[in-house]
Amino acid sequence: MKNIKRFFIPSLCAVALLSITGCTKDFVDINTNPATYGSTNFDANYTLSSAQLNYTGSIDFAYDTWRANLIYSSGMIQGMSTVVSYWAGDKYMLNEGYTAAYWGTSAVGAYIEQVRFIVDVIEFTKDKPEASNLYNVARIWKAVIFSRLSDIYGDVPYSEAGLGYYKKIYTPKYDKQQDIYNDMLKELDEASQSFKDGGDFVKGDIIYGGDLNKWKRFANSFMLRLAMRLVKVDEAKAKEYAAKAVGKTFTSNSDNALVKHSRAGARVTQNRNSQVLLGDGGSEAYYTKWSKTFIDFLKAHKDPRLGKITVTNLYLKESDKDEAGQNPNFSMDPAVQKGMPNGKDLGSNPIFNVKSDPNWTTFSDYSSPHPVMIAREAPTFILTYGATELLLAEAAVRWGIGGSAEDHYKNGVKAAITNVGQYSEKIAISDAAADACLAANPFKPAEALKQINTQYWGHTVCQLDFIETWSNWKRTGYPELVMINYPGNATGGTIPRRFPYPVSEVSENGVHYKEAAAAVPGGDKLTGRVWWDK
């Protein structure tokens, strides 16, 4: 990673423009004269805000989100489909610049825009009893940040990351993913039990506005997610931490962790997925659609999300983009929704040309996300009750802990279906409609793991959280996707399992990079595997 020295640099405009609880006039006051801002008046609350906001994507034109979540994950996991030529994930092609994007550079990406901020918060508060609640929120958020980094790449700089300013460590070692997971689970467990009633108010929190009870439930729900990652490599630890979480997780969609975006701050505060899918940087608005796999899933399950989150004729010609270019007479009719097959292009080979699709008519007739899902102020979902209940259902199936698998499954599916109303009341789905879907798709113990994780896939696709969709698919193998063997692909026609390390690491952190690259099962390439992916 880049040899980045650490400075106390809060994001000066990101948080002030977010329409969420926890923003105060103090932020403006503190930053009126940045030249006088230093260690004596540094408020780590606002640095926490930056770490939280930047987890939704880079403030620089959604740099990492565009490449890791959309260009790669959404297509290879068959949530979305596109004929945009540079969307490499749809066809398992290797673009080393794109696979390196989430890791980032000295200007953009997770290490510079997420890790440096959360490490600052932790280092500044760890020995300050008067900031203990902020410290424990930061410990939890550090696990959120590093779990995604590690799930994408495997072994990554963790214990020494971001410590250039504090310990003069400019070429941090790569920690083993097993060690990272062990520490994250420990941190989540400890932090959830260390909040102090009557202690410091976490005023920079843009997720829960300083509500510590919600942070306790978040920590345990996220701990459950990480525990379930380990079912194939350390089942005893997976069961241990899943059992710790039982009874302490989310209880309804009102607990869902999300960032509410704002139009006011342009790229800084607007939803990152939306910036891309509205066509700010290319032709994604017209050429990127819901996949056939996803639409067929909704149809097969008589899912009421069909015709709510899916619309046809949203953009009528290639030049249409942004919200102003949307056709106000788009169709939500479930009967006309159709997904675009993955692995297609506009080339001369009829096998791969999308116009050879038997259902081809026009691009406009393929289903797009409903406009409220890609509005610039649309929320980014971090962790939900629906996903948590589905993981509890799996824990009950595997180990008989935490109550009835069927009950958790029903709770999870119903919450996942009704959760889309958190985008907007315009696409809200009633409890009755969700119950009808469950009645049409009863829980089958013999197929439990398949049912649970196929629903998890559908839920995270609806949230546009495709990196998480990919991670859980790697863990479980569900749904059973039909893979693409596009000419020139880099994987032999199999869905990628991880991203290679950035080539910049060869020169910037060569010794540690070589050790980590040599240790990747299957090699440092798209077909290599992270530790827990057996």
Side-chain angles (χ1 to χ4, degrees), residues 1-3 170-174 501-518:
M1 64 185 292
K2 282 281 186 183
N3 303 341
Y170 304 130
T171 55
K173 69 178 181 180
Y174 286 54
Y501 293 123
V503 295
S504 60
E505 285 290 276
V506 175
S507 60
E508 294 170 1
N509 196 5
V511 173
H512 293 129
Y513 157 76
K514 289 177 183 177
E515 293 173 352

Side-chain angles (χ1 to χ4, degrees), residues 307-308 310-316 326-333 336-337 364 368-372 426-427:
K308 288 289 190 176
T310 61
V311 304
T312 61
N313 294 304
L314 182 60
Y315 293 101
L316 301 181
Q326 293 172 353
N327 169 27
N329 298 315
F330 58 80
S331 175
M332 297 173 66
D333 182 359
V336 303
Q337 304 303 319
S364 297
S368 299
H370 190 286
V372 298
K426 292 180 180 179
I427 59 171

Side-chain angles (χ1 to χ4, degrees), residues 185-204:
L185 288 167
K186 175 191 73 68
E187 286 291 282
L188 289 166
D189 188 28
E190 289 182 0
S192 70
Q193 300 178 59
S194 300
F195 290 115
K196 295 180 179 179
D197 294 335
D200 58 300
F201 176 65
V202 185
K203 60 186 175 182

Side-chain angles (χ1 to χ4, degrees), residues 79-126:
M80 306 199 82
S81 175
T82 189
V83 295
V84 175
S85 61
Y86 51 81
W87 277 51
D90 188 72
K91 301 165 183 67
Y92 319 153
M93 310 297 279
L94 175 62
N95 182 316
E96 292 178 334
Y98 291 177
T99 56
Y102 195 82
W103 185 293
T105 69
S106 61
V108 293
Y111 273 104
I112 192 66
E113 293 184 281
Q114 299 175 42
V115 171
R116 68 165 176 161
F117 287 118
I118 205 62
V119 170
D120 275 351
V121 179
I122 288 173
E123 290 298 312
F124 195 77
T125 60
K126 65 181 182 180

Side-chain angles (χ1 to χ4, degrees), residues 40-62:
T40 57
N41 62 347
F42 173 73
D43 189 339
N45 275 282
Y46 303 116
T47 309
L48 171 69
S49 307
S50 294
Q52 291 176 330
L53 175 60
N54 293 352
Y55 179 78
T56 72
S58 174
I59 63 174
D60 184 7
F61 210 171

Side-chain angles (χ1 to χ4, degrees), residues 219-298:
N220 283 284
S221 299
F222 201 79
M223 186 170 70
L224 173 67
R225 177 195 279 189
L226 298 192
M228 298 308 290
R229 290 277 204 268
L230 308 186
V231 292
K232 294 181 180 178
V233 291
D234 192 344
E235 187 173 9
K237 179 150 286 185
K239 180 180 178 181
E240 175 191 356
Y241 278 90
K244 286 175 180 281
V246 168
K248 304 173 187 175
T249 57
F250 291 161
T251 59
S252 73
N253 276 334
S254 65
D255 288 331
N256 289 351
L258 53 88
V259 171
K260 298 178 182 178
H261 291 278
S262 167
R263 291 174 179 268
R267 292 178 182 173
V268 175
T269 61
Q270 291 175 8
N271 184 292
R272 280 44 167 163
N273 288 315
S274 300
Q275 292 175 42
V276 177
L277 295 176
L278 289 171
D280 285 3
S283 53
E284 278 86 355
Y286 184 71
Y287 285 120
T288 302
K289 308 291 183 178
W290 287 125
S291 77
K292 183 178 187 299
T293 305
F294 178 61
I295 296 297
D296 287 353
F297 159 79
L298 297 179

